Amino acid sequence: LVEAIAAAALSRLPGLAPEALATIAWSFSELRLLHEPWFVQAADEAMSRISEFAQEELRMLLWALPHVEEMGLSTGLRLLEKAEAARCPLSASCLSSLLAACEERGLVESQVSLLRRLQRTASPEASPLLGLAAEAV
């Protein structure tokens, strides 16, 4: 059943509106329909049109990707880099799922890098605390 659902969704990926792509990724992840080929193509599609994605759509994708075991976290980090390079607006909630995935997997360097990114997006009051957290990790 997962294969059939993913195959149907895969054929519709090119040109799919960012909101629809993000919603499907979030839904698949929430339902644990973690079909890696679909997520790979969805991430590639998002990266090729990154400037079309609103902050909420990026947040949904960045939340969904780390749930896909083999490629999810690294793809999520690449998507984040692409979004930052395109100067897409990113909030702290965009980074939270990636940060949690790095912590769960013991990826300290990636965790520190994300905390520093979070520090740049944080309010002036929270920024020093995040810097201390990054140093403590």
Side-chain angles (χ1 to χ4, degrees):
L1 181 60
V2 172
E3 292 293 324
I5 293 169
L10 197 56
S11 68
R12 293 180 175 86
L13 261 175
L16 198 61
E19 182 179 13
L21 193 150
T23 300
I24 293 168
W26 183 89
S27 299
F28 276 11
S29 189
E30 181 69 20
L31 295 170
R32 299 293 185 246
L33 300 175
L34 305 176
H35 187 264
E36 189 170 319
W38 186 89
F39 277 94
V40 167
Q41 190 166 337
D44 288 346
E45 183 72 18
M47 284 187 242
S48 72
R49 302 184 293 136
I50 195 72
S51 62
E52 298 174 25
F53 283 74
Q55 182 173 292
E56 180 66 11
E57 296 153 359
L58 288 170
R59 185 195 61 75
M60 291 171 75
L61 278 170
L62 292 170
W63 179 86
L65 283 167
H67 294 95
V68 184
E69 286 302 316
E70 294 302 314
M71 53 66 73
L73 180 57
S74 61
T75 303
L77 292 169
R78 277 197 349 263
L79 180 62
L80 176 62
E81 288 173 9
K82 198 81 148 151
E84 287 178 326
R87 300 199 183 279
C88 296
L90 296 167
S91 68
S93 63
C94 291
L95 304 177
S96 62
S97 182
L98 294 174
L99 186 59
C102 288
E103 184 176 2
E104 288 170 4
R105 293 175 174 117
L107 302 172
V108 176
E109 288 180 26
S110 295
Q111 192 176 352
V112 169
S113 174
L114 286 168
L115 284 168
R116 296 213 186 282
R117 286 175 168 139
L118 189 57
Q119 185 179 18
R120 290 193 298 267
T121 65
S123 67
E125 299 82 30
S127 187
L129 296 174
L130 289 166
L132 291 173
E135 290 173 17
V137 174

